[in-house]
Amino acid sequence: MRRVVSLVPSLTDAVAASGPPELLVGVTDWCTHPAGLDAVRIGGTKNPDVAAIVALRPDLVIANEEENRAPDLAALRAAGLPVLVTEVRTLPQAFAELDRLLTGALGLPRPGWLTAAEKAWAGVEAVGVRRAFVPVWRRPWMVLGRDTFAGDLLARLGVVNAYGSHPERYPKVPAEELAASGCDLVVLPDEPYRFTAEDGPEAFPGIPAALVSGRHLTWYGPSLVEAPQVLARALAEAR
């Protein structure tokens, strides 16, 4: 495999950390890791430039069933490009899909960081249980619902998602309802919406807020190695 286009920031990070620099020829505008990546930018995850991708003549396009739109992937396949679509909703799924992509589809040696990530998470012990809601967007407010990768990571760290059994995966919930949910924690990641100390906690007075790294909470790649420590520290510091 010599030429790859990645439509997923997490997978861009994973491929760049595992293969030769020339492997990635195209990535999205949202692919921020690693810094200084030398690849053609082909638009966003939801609006990739199909013609630009085809012009790059990739041997493989890598995508994700949640982050990328089915019509775009269908257009790429119609143009004759092989497309590998990952599905990641739990930590074990993430490890399996990363292995399938890196060692299977790309034929790379199994990267040391992947083994290190598995060991890091195998050693996690949830200390205490906190009931929380996890906004991922504002205007309107949207939170993590059922069957999400981020929700699985938080559960392993002792956080019970108050909306984890909601019929929708990312339900819209008014701030007033969230504030009255009886939760003892609100988890605020800095992506996809960039929550900060000044933008987010003020909507839920009296509820301790944990400001967490979105990359460590929602990305499945090299960041998984340090994610248990980074997230646990942020949760412990919530005030």
Side-chain angles (χ1 to χ4, degrees), residues 2-238:
R2 295 176 293 115
R3 298 175 64 81
V4 175
V5 169
S6 172
L7 303 182
V8 185
S10 295
L11 299 180
T12 296
D13 198 10
V15 172
S18 308
E22 64 272 15
L23 189 57
L24 282 167
V25 296
V27 299
T28 76
D29 297 339
W30 300 106
C31 293
T32 56
H33 288 75
L37 185 63
D38 184 18
V40 175
R41 300 288 170 166
I42 48 76
T45 56
K46 305 296 186 187
N47 58 345
D49 186 333
V50 172
I53 295 171
V54 173
L56 288 172
R57 298 177 290 105
D59 300 300
L60 182 67
V61 178
I62 53 179
N64 175 263
E65 53 88 27
E66 178 176 341
E67 294 195 51
N68 306 117
R69 300 186 319 125
D72 296 322
L73 304 184
L76 291 168
R77 291 191 178 102
L81 299 182
V83 180
L84 184 151
V85 181
T86 58
E87 180 178 333
V88 177
R89 300 192 182 187
T90 67
L91 183 61
Q93 262 191 318
F95 289 143
E97 290 286 64
L98 287 165
D99 192 62
R100 178 170 76 100
L101 168 64
L102 299 172
T103 68
L106 300 182
L108 299 171
R110 196 173 201 273
W113 65 260
L114 184 52
T115 300
E118 290 175 331
K119 289 181 178 178
W121 280 98
V124 167
E125 294 184 8
V127 179
V129 175
R130 304 177 78 175
R131 186 169 179 268
F133 56 92
V134 190
V136 292
W137 202 254
R138 185 169 188 167
R139 305 181 196 94
W141 286 95
M142 298 175 67
V143 300
L144 290 185
R146 64 171 181 84
D147 196 20
T148 66
F149 174 70
D152 186 48
L153 293 195
L154 289 172
R156 294 169 189 274
L157 294 167
V159 176
V160 176
N161 180 6
Y163 292 87
S165 59
H166 195 282
E168 298 177 29
R169 296 185 65 223
Y170 299 98
K172 297 177 182 177
V173 183
E176 296 78 11
E177 179 181 326
L178 295 173
S181 63
C183 289
D184 52 14
L185 181 69
V186 51
V187 178
L188 297 168
D190 61 10
E191 62 174 83
Y193 185 92
R194 187 172 180 78
F195 288 106
T196 67
E198 292 74 36
D199 184 356
E202 82 290 342
F204 312 108
I207 302 178
L211 295 165
V212 305
S213 161
R215 180 169 175 255
H216 291 96
L217 181 61
T218 64
W219 286 37
Y220 31 92
S223 56
L224 283 172
V225 177
E226 59 184 15
Q229 289 186 331
V230 171
L231 295 174
R233 183 168 58 249
L235 294 170
E237 292 173 351

